[in-house]
Amino acid sequence: MTLTEVDYRAPGAGPEFDRSLRRTGFAVLRNPPIDPTLVPTIYHEWLAFLDSDAKLAYAMDSGRVDGYLAPPPPGPINRDRKELFHIYRDGRYPAEVSPAGMRYFRQAHELARTLLGWLDLHGDPQVTRRFPMPTAGMIDGSEATVLRVQRYLPQPAGTPGGVPRALAHTDINLVTLLPTPSRPGLQILVDDEWTDVCAEPGSLVVQVGEMLEAVSGGAYPAALHQVMPEPSGAGDSRISMPLFVHPADHVRILPDRTAGQFRHDRLAELRAQNWVAVAGGSAATAA
Ligand SMILES: O=C(O)CCC(=O)C(=O)O
Ligand SMILES: [Fe+2]
């Protein structure tokens, strides 16, 4: 399948974005209105931070949802081998890095609001009319949105080529904004085929999450995605930085479930399935 890319600045970007989301569950957005120096700066600074022991002072102890989560110990290969740091608007932020991560959070969140507004403007009124409120308004005042800076460890020598770096999953939130990671590997299932989504640096992949699928009665299908190793084998570590955009907790996603309940229930299910779930976003690792 050929990937359609939506140029944020082009006339017709809104309707094209909406069509792509409805047809495939995701869209690749070029020229997003985000300072282009931020993502490379963050990858550079956070690689050094994650290489240091300073990260350990921010451990995501039990009960906390912000901060640093270590990779799983070596062992079964069917676990996502990555370490990560969760940044919430009001959560801990490392003193060892510049404020670029926080600036990115704010700019990407503002962009998410604009993109959800495109659904209100250009979506099928039959679908959006049934939403409990305008889509863009769903994220106003949300405290659950989380920016995850994560590093996949290099694959150990001898790892079979077909073992994913991130197991296939859907994100539980409304939409996810993913700037181009430091290495390729992301695949999204489109028409029953795993499709490589390898956008050029400076682009953003926007994925539909389970809450947007639920609130739209399936009109916007959640993107099933995974991260595959590079064909060359072992490979480098890989940094990616999804922003999991959540509605405010009170927003009614289903007649019997608010966004807060939806998140709580899905995280409980993921824990029960042995995913090491991290409140706020998708599950981080599977055991
Ligand atoms: O690293 C990527 O490319 C995707 C990450 C992802 O899907 C996730 O963390 O939920
Ligand atoms: Fe994901």
Side-chain angles (χ1 to χ4, degrees), residues 48-60 67-71 83 85 92 94 96 151 153:
F49 173 64
L50 292 172
D51 265 338
S52 76
D53 283 342
K55 63 191 178 189
L56 303 175
Y58 303 91
M60 201 184 288
Y68 173 74
L69 186 71
E83 58 183 338
F85 196 106
R92 289 175 294 175
E96 290 79 4
R151 169 163 65 164
L153 306 184

Side-chain angles (χ1 to χ4, degrees), residues 162-218:
V163 176
R165 290 185 115 166
L167 296 175
H169 66 281
T170 46
D171 296 344
I172 66 181
N173 42 292
L174 199 60
V175 283
T176 302
L177 271 55
L178 180 78
T180 303
S182 68
R183 310 287 309 174
L186 177 67
Q187 293 187 330
I188 302 182
L189 195 72
V190 183
D191 297 335
D192 294 327
E193 254 182 58
W194 285 111
T195 305
D196 291 315
V197 181
C198 190
E200 64 185 55
S203 307
L204 269 183
V205 178
V206 181
Q207 292 176 314
V208 173
E210 294 175 15
M211 291 196 207
L212 182 53
E213 176 175 288
V215 80
S216 69

Side-chain angles (χ1 to χ4, degrees), residues 82 148 150 152 169 171 178 181 225 227 238 240 242 244 282:
K82 61 187 184 186
R148 177 189 289 171
Q150 58 191 351
Y152 299 81
H169 66 281
D171 296 344
L178 180 78
H225 55 286
V227 179
R238 176 181 185 276
S240 74
F244 299 109
S282 66

